[in-house]
Amino acid sequence: MNGTRDGPPVDGSRTHHSPLTRAAVLAAALEIIDAGGVDRLSMRRLGDMLGRDPMALYRHAANKAAVLDGVAELIWAQLTVDTSDPDWRHQLRLIARDFRRIAVDHPHMVPLLVTHPLATPLGLRPVGTLRPLEHILSLLTKADFTGTDALHIYRALFGFLYGHVLTELQEIVERPEEPTDLLRLGLYRLPVGEFPLLRSLASELAAYDGVEELERGLDILLTGLAGPLPSGPESA
């Protein structure tokens, strides 16, 4: 057999038809993660995927953590930021749509992209993961925002995007065979007296549309950002 039920096929022919490069290692690692999640990735499985002895991989990545850092850089490189766009609101909307597309295309990478950096100081993160931040700061400072305000806008945008994609990609249907939304979502378990509004919104919750929710959220966020930003926390 060339593969397993829960992983991508092993293609030893890659050994003969393409050189072993860092780009090839990271592309194969992403393929494994896309097929079965981050936990499926190992140096042994990656070597099998490439048709190489796993020891040969260490010339391109010191360990699995280094491979994951490289794959994160590979993903972030797909996020396009046009720093010359004179309409910063339009550009942020395009960035948000691009980020959602990447998340939907690579759902197993989302927890790594969202939560892993929080445990890593900025200066120790792979430089490729920081380029979108630098480019967005450049876009916003060219639009006459101060560096501090540009950073606040970046944090507000990606705080929203991280929450959005985590919400969109989670499983919300408990019993898909049930005829009513209340039963399908498992909301029947909630006490009526304590959660009347949540239970009443079963149909709206079941009709969740990631694209529409993204655009609605961006409308709210960008409308607020278009006005003057407060100088700091209001005094009590």
Side-chain angles (χ1 to χ4, degrees), residues 10-21:
V10 173
D11 184 5
S13 64
R14 297 186 189 193
T15 302
H16 306 290
H17 295 294
S18 59
L20 185 61
T21 63

Side-chain angles (χ1 to χ4, degrees), residues 2-218:
N2 290 327
T4 61
R5 184 179 63 179
D6 55 352
V10 173
D11 184 5
S13 64
R14 297 186 189 193
T15 302
H16 306 290
H17 295 294
S18 59
L20 185 61
T21 63
R22 176 174 170 80
V25 170
L26 297 181
L30 180 57
E31 190 173 342
I32 292 171
I33 293 169
D34 282 344
V38 172
D39 290 341
R40 287 287 299 165
L41 179 66
S42 68
M43 300 303 275
R44 178 190 60 79
R45 186 168 286 114
L46 187 53
D48 289 344
M49 182 79 169
L50 292 163
R52 300 295 184 95
D53 186 314
M55 294 304 294
L57 306 180
Y58 291 100
R59 291 196 294 270
H60 304 281
N63 47 39
K64 177 179 174 178
V67 173
L68 291 175
D69 282 345
V71 174
E73 289 187 291
L74 193 65
I75 292 293
W76 281 111
Q78 298 179 30
L79 190 67
T80 302
V81 181
D82 181 0
T83 60
S84 65
D85 191 340
D87 187 342
W88 62 271
R89 286 180 291 270
H90 173 257
Q91 185 58 211
L92 291 186
R93 191 177 290 273
L94 294 182
I95 291 168
R97 293 170 181 168
D98 212 17
F99 182 79
R100 178 191 171 273
R101 174 191 58 78
I102 291 169
V104 171
D105 287 347
H106 305 284
H108 291 305
M109 282 295 298
V110 169
L112 186 67
L113 297 177
V114 173
T115 62
H116 180 65
L118 299 178
T120 308
L122 276 171
L124 298 180
R125 297 178 195 176
V127 294
T129 66
L130 295 175
R131 287 197 178 98
L133 168 56
E134 180 69 19
H135 293 162
I136 292 172
L137 293 177
S138 176
L139 168 75
L140 293 171
T141 53
K142 287 178 181 178
D144 293 331
F145 288 100
T146 66
T148 300
D149 283 347
L151 185 58
H152 287 319
I153 292 172
Y154 170 87
R155 287 171 173 164
L157 176 66
F158 275 86
F160 163 68
L161 289 177
Y162 290 159
H164 172 83
V165 297
L166 288 173
T167 299
E168 181 174 358
L169 295 176
Q170 73 179 355
E171 179 61 56
I172 64 169
V173 177
E174 180 193 24
R175 302 170 69 177
E177 74 282 359
E178 291 290 352
T180 68
D181 294 328
L182 188 71
L183 296 177
R184 289 177 66 242
L185 298 183
L187 293 177
Y188 65 92
R189 300 175 182 275
L190 301 180
V192 180
E194 294 182 40
F195 299 95
L197 293 175
L198 191 55
R199 287 171 58 101
S200 71
L201 290 171
S203 295
E204 286 74 12
L205 290 167
Y208 183 92
D209 183 313
V211 174
E212 181 180 349
E213 288 292 327
L214 178 73
E215 297 300 329
R216 280 177 170 268
L218 288 172

